[in-house]
Amino acid sequence: MQAKPETQTTGRFVDWFPYLPWLTLGVMLLSLIAAAFLERTLISTNVTVDPDAPTELQPIQLKKEPFGALRIDVAASLPSNQWVTYEIQVKDKDGKILASGIKQAWAESGTWAEEGESGTWAEDDLLGGLDVRTNQAEPVTIALDVLEYSDTAGRELDTAVPFQITVKNGVVDDRYLWAGVFGTFAIAFITLFSVSSTGKMVMNKSNRDSDVTGRGTMGGSDRLLRVVVKVKSDEHSPRGLNVRLTMNDENGEQIYTKTYPVDVSLSKNEGRVTGGNSTLTKFFILEARGSYGFHVEVTPDLSIDRTRILIRENARTLYPVEVTTIKTADVH
């Protein structure tokens, strides 16, 4: 049975699915970039608010945006060991509250001593905020009200509290986008690496020598075979090896043989070579389905510790690759 090997580069078996997460990742990154340009600062000012005497800012015209929302960031300015509870309100032109939020802000500091050592500490939580999205264009007013103001001893204070207020429109909450970016990035890498293990394993043979032989049932005009030869060598490994791959049909007749040069990845410890690893990956189509034998021989063989051959059927690729199609005389 005479074989007719033909080798050509083809994208017929490319798996496009692993590229979808990368496309999604690109869309997310573009969204993050676009969000930065959509954001506009409407107000950035300092105000002081007396307890139980709300302060209102000048009305602003809120427009309906295709993306983003109105974000109000409020930061209280407190001396150490004081607490303030304040409320942020967004009102329409008739004074009706559209949205509100309450924040308990505080600033504390002190000293510590332990095992003969001492120092100071300071902590605070001063920033509050509110996001509002409107369904229509309308003027709105932002009000700030101090509900409670005291020190850490529980004494109520009646002095005015300073605040820094920043109002932006078209703000996108990018926390979820960043979570999506990192999650999609991980999925994208997993899908890329998973392509090499696509298909059914039809041969997995190894030998503690420079050659290995195996036989299995495989083939078919639409079934791509991924043939991988892995070679492990010792500390005397050269930088390059020759891998001879031979195929036989069910009658034992040789239908393919070729020697491939492969580079060796050397492992080193403190500058000394401790071993080497090399891999050869080739793609084949055996048009006639049947029993096929594979034989691998690695030269030079003095440094070879193990040779392994793995074959997957119905394999997929990430990009166009060279595929050798082997036809026999009785395949038309």
Side-chain angles (χ1 to χ4, degrees):
M1 192 161 52
Q2 186 179 1
K4 302 175 182 179
E6 297 178 359
T7 301
Q8 64 177 356
T9 300
T10 177
R12 175 182 167 193
F13 299 98
V14 171
D15 186 355
W16 296 108
F17 176 75
Y19 294 103
L20 293 180
W22 292 100
L23 178 62
T24 304
L25 181 63
V27 172
M28 289 183 175
L29 291 174
L30 287 175
S31 298
L32 286 170
I33 296 172
F37 288 99
L38 291 173
E39 187 176 298
R40 301 188 311 278
T41 300
L42 303 179
I43 297 174
S44 181
T45 186
N46 295 307
V47 298
T48 56
V49 182
D50 291 317
D52 299 321
T55 296
E56 294 186 351
L57 304 183
Q58 290 294 323
I60 57 176
Q61 182 65 36
L62 190 60
K63 298 180 180 179
K64 183 180 179 180
E65 300 286 351
F67 302 100
L70 182 75
R71 172 166 294 177
I72 306 164
D73 288 325
V74 179
S77 179
L78 296 178
S80 293
N81 300 318
Q82 289 189 2
W83 291 67
V84 63
T85 301
Y86 60 88
E87 182 180 16
I88 308 167
Q89 296 178 345
V90 180
K91 303 178 181 179
D92 63 12
K93 61 182 179 180
D94 299 321
K96 180 182 177 181
I97 296 178
L98 301 176
S100 65
I102 295 176
K103 170 68 177 181
Q104 188 177 64
W106 52 270
E108 294 185 358
S109 63
T111 60
W112 60 270
E114 184 177 352
E115 297 180 355
E117 297 183 356
S118 62
T120 60
W121 60 271
E123 295 180 351
D124 60 54
D125 181 9
L126 303 172
L127 183 63
L130 194 63
D131 287 351
V132 179
R133 182 166 174 79
T134 182
N135 294 323
Q136 60 184 9
E138 60 179 327
V140 297
T141 301
I142 298 171
L144 198 60
D145 188 11
V146 173
L147 304 179
E148 186 179 354
Y149 185 28
S150 64
D151 59 20
T152 54
R155 294 187 296 267
E156 292 189 5
L157 305 173
D158 59 2
T159 57
V161 181
F163 291 92
Q164 166 68 39
I165 301 179
T166 303
V167 181
K168 297 180 179 180
N169 202 17
V171 176
V172 175
D173 190 347
D174 58 8
R175 293 174 299 173
Y176 302 103
L177 279 175
W178 280 114
V181 164
F182 290 117
T184 305
F185 188 73
I187 293 173
F189 264 105
I190 291 172
T191 54
L192 283 180
F193 285 115
S194 67
V195 171
S196 61
S197 59
T198 301
K200 177 185 177 182
M201 182 76 73
V202 293
M203 186 177 295
N204 185 355
K205 298 289 185 179
S206 64
N207 187 24
R208 292 183 176 275
D209 205 342
S210 61
D211 65 302
V212 62
T213 300
R215 178 170 287 275
T217 300
M218 63 194 76
S221 59
D222 294 322
R223 303 188 180 197
L224 180 67
L225 299 179
R226 180 191 294 268
V227 179
V228 180
V229 178
K230 295 185 177 183
V231 183
K232 184 174 180 59
S233 46
D234 61 22
E235 66 273 13
H236 303 295
S237 174
R239 294 185 177 273
L241 296 169
N242 294 311
V243 177
R244 186 174 183 82
L245 177 63
T246 303
M247 299 184 199
N248 299 316
D249 63 15
E250 59 188 5
N251 298 318
E253 295 182 9
Q254 180 176 296
I255 59 174
Y256 181 84
T257 184
K258 187 172 181 178
T259 300
Y260 300 94
V262 295
D263 295 327
V264 179
S265 177
L266 297 177
S267 301
K268 296 183 179 181
N269 184 16
E270 297 181 353
R272 298 181 60 183
V273 176
T274 58
N277 293 280
S278 50
T279 302
L280 171 70
T281 301
K282 292 295 175 180
F283 297 92
F284 295 90
I285 293 178
L286 301 175
E287 294 238 336
R289 186 165 183 82
S291 175
Y292 291 91
F294 287 77
H295 178 72
V296 174
E297 183 179 0
V298 184
T299 56
D301 59 357
L302 292 178
S303 63
I304 306 304
D305 286 339
R306 180 184 291 273
T307 306
R308 185 179 184 186
I309 182 171
L310 303 99
I311 303 178
R312 288 185 178 272
E313 191 175 60
N314 290 323
R316 307 292 289 178
T317 66
L318 284 172
Y319 45 82
V321 295
E322 279 193 352
V323 177
T324 300
T325 301
I326 300 178
K327 299 180 181 181
T328 52
D330 55 351
V331 175
H332 303 285

